[in-house]
Amino acid sequence: MIKTYKVMLLPNNKQKTKLFQCAGVARWAYNFALAQEQENYKHGGKFLGDDNIRKRLTQLKKTEEFAWLNQYSNNITKQAIKDACNAYTNSFEGRAEFPKFKTKKRSRPSFYQDTEKIKITETHVKLEKLITSRKKNKQKLNWIRLAEKGKIPHGKHVKYTNPRIVFDGLHWFLTIGVEEVEVKYEAYTEGIGVDLGVKNLATVSSGRTFKNINQTPKVKKLEKSIKRLQRKLSRKYEMNKIQTKGGEFRYRKTENIKKLELLARKKRRRLKNIRLNYTHQITTTLVKAKPAYVVMENLNTSGMLKNNKLSKAIQEQTFHEFKRQMTYKCARRGIKLVVADRFYPSSKMCSNCGHVKEKLSLSERTYHCEACGMEMDRDLNASINLKNYVKSMV
C-alpha cells in the first residue's frame, strides 16, 4: 500500500523565489495545454492528448520568446500538461466540471518533481533544477531543509510516488507517497460501532465518547478573534475605497491591510489545525484499540447542511475528514471498515429488542423504547446498533 507523507519545508528567501517561479511555470504549462485543447475542439478536432501537446511545447522552447522555459525542469511542464489533459477528459466523461484556467489569485501554487531525481535525507530534500549552475556553492540552493527530522523514509530501496511541492498560503510543503507493507495485528478485539454527531463528535459502542472540540473555550476564543479581525479588515477596505473616472469603486490594498490579511490567514490555519489534530487523535485511538471491524453510518452531509440552525455546527465537525482518516488508517492495519446503509435506522431502533420508532426528534437526547421500556443515551444506542449491523449483513 502507498502511505502519503506531508512535511513542511523551511526554504530561505532565494529558495522561496525559485519555488514560486517553478509553480508559475506549472501554472503556465497547465493553461497552455488547456488553451490548445479548447482551440482544437473549436475547429472540430479530436482530443489531442498530452503527447501531442508536449511535442508542441518542445518546438515552442526552441524559439527565442519561450527560451526561458529551458531554465526549469522538464518534468514540471510535463506533469502540468498531463494534469490539464486529465481534467479535460474527466469533464467530457462526466466525472468533473469543465476545467478553468489557473490564475495567481485563484489557484494554489504547486508543481511536480520526478521520482528518480528527488533525493531525501534525514534533514533535507533535494529538488530538481532549482538552480542550473554546477558550482558547489550554487548547488546548495537545490537542498531545502525539512521542518521534521527523519519523518519521510529514505534509502536506496524506498520507492516514491507523485512528489508535489505545494504552497498553502503560509508555508511550502512536500507531499510524497511511499510504498509500504500493510501492518496486521496478531490478535484483534471485538468490533465497534461509531456514531458521529453534533453534541459529541463521536460515540463508540464501548461507551466511550469524544466531545465536540468546537464547544471548548480555546476554539471559541479563537473564532471570536477571527471575527473581530475580519470586521477590522472590512473597515480598512472601506477607508481605502477609490472611485475611478468611470464611476466604479476599487479597493486599494495598503501594507496594513496585507499585514491584517496575513494575521487572519494564520489564525484560520491555527483553527483548522486544531480541528484536524483532534480528529487525528480520535481516529488513531480507535484504530490502536485493534478492533476486528469498525462500522460507521453513511451520512447525508449535504442534506444535513440544509438545516439553517445546525449547518454551521455540522460543517465544523468535518465528518468527511473523520471518515477519510478512518478509511486509510483501517486499511493500513488490516481492520475491516463497514459503512452502514444510509437508510439503516440506527437512531430509531432499540438496541435491546429491535423495535423501530416511527418518529424521533432531534431534541430527544435519551432513547426510550415503547416496547421493552429500555432507556439509554440516544448516541450510545445508535453506536450499538451500528456495531450489530454486521450481524444483519450475514
Side-chain angles (χ1 to χ4, degrees):
M1 63 174 295
I2 296 174
K3 182 180 178 182
T4 304
Y5 290 88
K6 185 177 180 180
V7 181
M8 192 174 78
L9 302 176
L10 300 173
N12 55 37
N13 290 333
K14 287 184 178 180
Q15 288 171 336
K16 284 180 183 178
T17 304
K18 288 291 180 181
L19 292 176
F20 277 114
Q21 287 176 358
C22 291
V25 170
R27 184 178 65 250
W28 182 91
Y30 183 94
N31 291 340
F32 171 76
L34 206 57
Q36 292 289 314
E37 291 286 6
Q38 290 185 7
E39 190 67 25
N40 184 61
Y41 182 75
K42 284 179 183 177
H43 291 88
K46 295 183 179 179
F47 179 69
L48 287 172
D50 60 287
D51 291 337
N52 291 325
I53 297 176
R54 275 159 47 196
K55 287 177 183 177
R56 294 184 181 187
L57 183 63
T58 303
Q59 296 300 319
L60 207 64
K61 284 181 179 180
K62 295 176 182 178
T63 62
E64 189 177 346
E65 185 181 356
F66 295 96
W68 56 272
L69 287 168
N70 295 308
Q71 299 175 13
Y72 301 93
S73 170
N74 181 52
N75 291 302
I76 295 174
T77 54
K78 180 180 175 181
Q79 187 62 41
I81 291 171
K82 278 186 178 180
D83 292 341
C85 290
N86 289 337
Y88 196 78
T89 306
N90 289 337
S91 68
F92 272 89
E93 294 181 359
R95 291 191 294 269
E97 294 181 359
F98 194 80
K100 297 179 180 178
F101 287 99
K102 291 188 176 183
T103 64
K104 284 185 179 180
K105 290 183 179 179
R106 191 173 62 236
S107 61
R108 183 178 62 172
S110 66
F111 60 94
Y112 174 83
Q113 284 288 292
D114 186 44
T115 53
E116 300 297 327
K117 301 291 178 65
I118 193 168
K119 293 181 180 179
I120 297 172
T121 65
E122 284 278 324
T123 56
H124 288 75
V125 57
K126 185 183 181 182
L127 303 184
E128 181 191 2
K129 214 173 179 180
L130 274 187
I131 190 75
T132 54
S133 174
R134 293 184 179 180
K135 293 180 180 178
K136 288 185 178 180
N137 60 332
K138 295 287 185 181
Q139 280 289 314
K140 288 180 181 179
L141 279 176
N142 293 328
W143 290 91
I144 301 178
R145 192 153 62 94
L146 300 172
E148 297 177 72
K149 183 179 178 181
K151 183 176 180 180
I152 304 175
H154 57 278
K156 293 181 180 179
H157 303 291
V158 179
K159 293 183 179 180
Y160 299 121
T161 58
N162 198 23
R164 303 264 179 165
I165 311 299
V166 184
F167 183 70
D168 69 344
L170 289 175
H171 306 289
W172 284 96
F173 286 87
L174 166 66
T175 61
I176 190 167
V178 181
E179 290 187 15
E180 293 186 356
V181 181
E182 183 181 317
V183 178
K184 285 192 175 182
Y185 296 122
E186 293 181 1
Y188 292 91
T189 59
E190 64 175 352
I192 58 171
V194 182
D195 180 68
L196 302 178
V198 176
K199 184 182 177 183
N200 294 311
L201 176 56
T203 304
V204 190
S205 55
S206 60
R208 187 171 183 179
T209 58
F210 297 93
K211 65 180 181 180
N212 182 355
I213 197 173
N214 297 298
Q215 300 298 323
T216 58
K218 182 180 181 180
V219 173
K220 285 186 174 181
K221 186 179 178 181
L222 190 55
E223 285 182 333
K224 194 173 182 180
S225 66
I226 291 171
K227 285 182 181 179
R228 285 176 177 173
L229 198 56
Q230 287 295 138
R231 287 197 294 267
K232 191 175 181 180
L233 262 171
S234 297
R235 289 195 295 269
K236 287 280 186 183
Y237 269 114
E238 286 298 322
M239 287 167 60
N240 291 278
K241 188 164 62 174
I242 303 170
Q243 189 172 8
T244 60
K245 292 180 180 179
E248 297 180 356
F249 285 98
R250 290 185 179 180
Y251 295 98
R252 185 166 57 91
K253 188 176 284 191
T254 62
E255 290 300 319
N256 283 334
I257 288 176
K258 290 178 182 178
K259 289 177 184 177
L260 286 173
E261 285 183 340
L262 178 62
L263 185 61
R265 282 200 301 271
K266 286 182 177 179
K267 285 183 178 291
R268 282 195 291 268
R269 182 52 49 81
R270 174 163 171 73
L271 181 61
K272 180 183 176 181
N273 287 341
I274 288 172
R275 289 170 178 159
L276 186 64
N277 180 59
Y278 184 62
T279 308
H280 271 295
Q281 288 176 347
I282 296 173
T283 52
T284 303
T285 301
L286 293 175
V287 170
K288 281 188 175 180
K290 304 177 184 179
Y293 60 86
V294 179
V295 185
M296 295 178 65
E297 53 190 334
N298 185 15
L299 293 171
N300 181 19
T301 312
S302 58
M304 294 165 68
L305 289 172
K306 292 178 182 178
N307 187 331
N308 294 331
K309 293 182 180 179
L310 293 174
S311 59
K312 183 177 181 293
I314 293 167
Q315 195 173 13
E316 289 172 347
Q317 291 291 67
T318 61
F319 294 144
H320 179 268
E321 178 62 22
F322 190 99
K323 184 181 176 183
R324 187 191 71 84
Q325 290 184 20
M326 286 298 297
T327 302
Y328 79 80
K329 288 181 181 180
C330 286
R332 192 188 299 169
R333 291 168 174 82
I335 299 170
K336 184 180 179 182
L337 179 67
V338 180
V339 180
D341 185 74
R342 181 170 290 183
F343 301 103
Y344 178 68
S346 59
S347 297
K348 293 181 179 180
M349 185 188 294
C350 175
S351 58
N352 185 40
C353 66
H355 173 73
V356 180
K357 282 190 174 186
E358 290 185 6
K359 291 183 179 180
L360 184 68
S361 63
L362 289 171
S363 59
E364 294 181 52
R365 300 312 309 167
T366 303
Y367 184 91
H368 176 72
C369 182
E370 299 164 355
C372 65
M374 184 204 72
E375 288 189 359
M376 186 184 290
D377 179 75
R378 172 200 179 110
D379 296 333
L380 179 59
N381 177 68
S383 64
I384 294 172
N385 284 328
L386 287 170
K387 177 189 174 182
N388 297 331
Y389 177 77
V390 175
K391 297 177 184 177
S392 64
M393 292 172 63
V394 179

